[in-house]
Amino acid sequence: MTWIIAPEPVGSPVAAALWREYYTEVSDRWYLLHEGRRTDPAELEREIAAGAGTEPAPPTGRLLVARYGGEPAGSAGVRLLDATTAELTRVFVRPGARGRGGGPLLVGAAEEAARALGAERMILDTRGDLVEARALYARLGYREGAPHNADPYAEHWFAKDLSGGAAAAGTRLS
């Protein structure tokens, strides 16, 4: 089976389902670690609604959806913060599709989308408990550095120069 990665409207049912699955997973991981419970459903709905307006949507962003074997299997978002800096966000691969190379392909496609938007640098933040994400970013050439935002859940900040290179090999963008 192959991965196909393509832009997706932020408001599509596929994008909404992947966003909800991603947010539920990272929220549950945080609450289980810090409070020994899963995310309260009402709180989850409030937080998803609070994120409205920060979506990686055109003209200054892109949401990419990865399909594996024709089925939605992951997502990654990019949004410009200024003329040359993009933020990588919402990198997610569904549990059943993990371990098949989708994460690196999604990040590579997001880098290509950021370059197409004019970005020369990609930044991101993540949490300490998301060890898989931190390892992926380091493997793909992101360097940890000083904080670049005040997000209360951010514990690690990464950046990568995008001025050279191409998208990950093996990715077919539509």
Side-chain angles (χ1 to χ4, degrees), residues 9 39 42-43 46 82 86 101 128-129 132 148-149 161:
T39 309
E43 182 177 11
R46 281 193 308 274
D82 61 41
D129 62 309
E132 306 91 343
H148 56 254
N149 65 25
D161 178 8

Side-chain angles (χ1 to χ4, degrees), residues 1-58:
M1 283 196 250
T2 61
W3 288 93
I4 297 173
I5 300 172
E8 180 84 18
V10 173
S12 78
V14 167
L18 287 165
W19 170 235
R20 180 171 297 283
E21 195 172 339
Y22 162 82
Y23 196 86
T24 300
E25 181 176 324
V26 297
S27 182
D28 280 353
R29 282 177 75 162
W30 191 90
Y31 278 113
L32 286 167
L33 179 65
H34 296 281
E35 297 183 12
R37 65 174 178 89
R38 294 195 179 279
T39 309
D40 175 87
E43 182 177 11
L44 181 68
E45 294 306 317
R46 281 193 308 274
E47 290 300 316
I48 288 173
T54 63
E55 292 92 354

Side-chain angles (χ1 to χ4, degrees), residues 73-129:
S75 64
V78 174
R79 62 183 176 158
L80 286 177
L81 299 178
D82 61 41
T84 61
T85 305
E87 179 183 33
L88 179 62
T89 184
R90 297 188 189 187
V91 177
F92 174 69
V93 176
R94 284 186 159 152
R98 291 179 185 161
R100 296 184 174 131
L105 292 174
L106 270 165
V107 173
E111 291 171 359
E112 182 179 295
R115 282 187 200 96
L117 291 168
E120 298 172 4
R121 181 173 166 244
M122 183 89 85
I123 63 171
L124 65 94
D125 65 69
T126 191
R127 297 191 324 236
D129 62 309

Side-chain angles (χ1 to χ4, degrees), residues 130-149:
L130 300 176
V131 294
E132 306 91 343
R134 290 182 13 241
L136 172 67
Y137 301 134
R139 238 183 7 257
L140 297 177
Y142 286 80
R143 301 289 176 239
E144 192 162 357
H148 56 254
N149 65 25

Side-chain angles (χ1 to χ4, degrees), residues 51-78:
T54 63
E55 292 92 354
T60 59
R62 298 289 181 275
L63 177 67
L64 303 170
V65 167
R67 286 177 169 77
Y68 186 73
E71 294 298 317
S75 64
V78 174

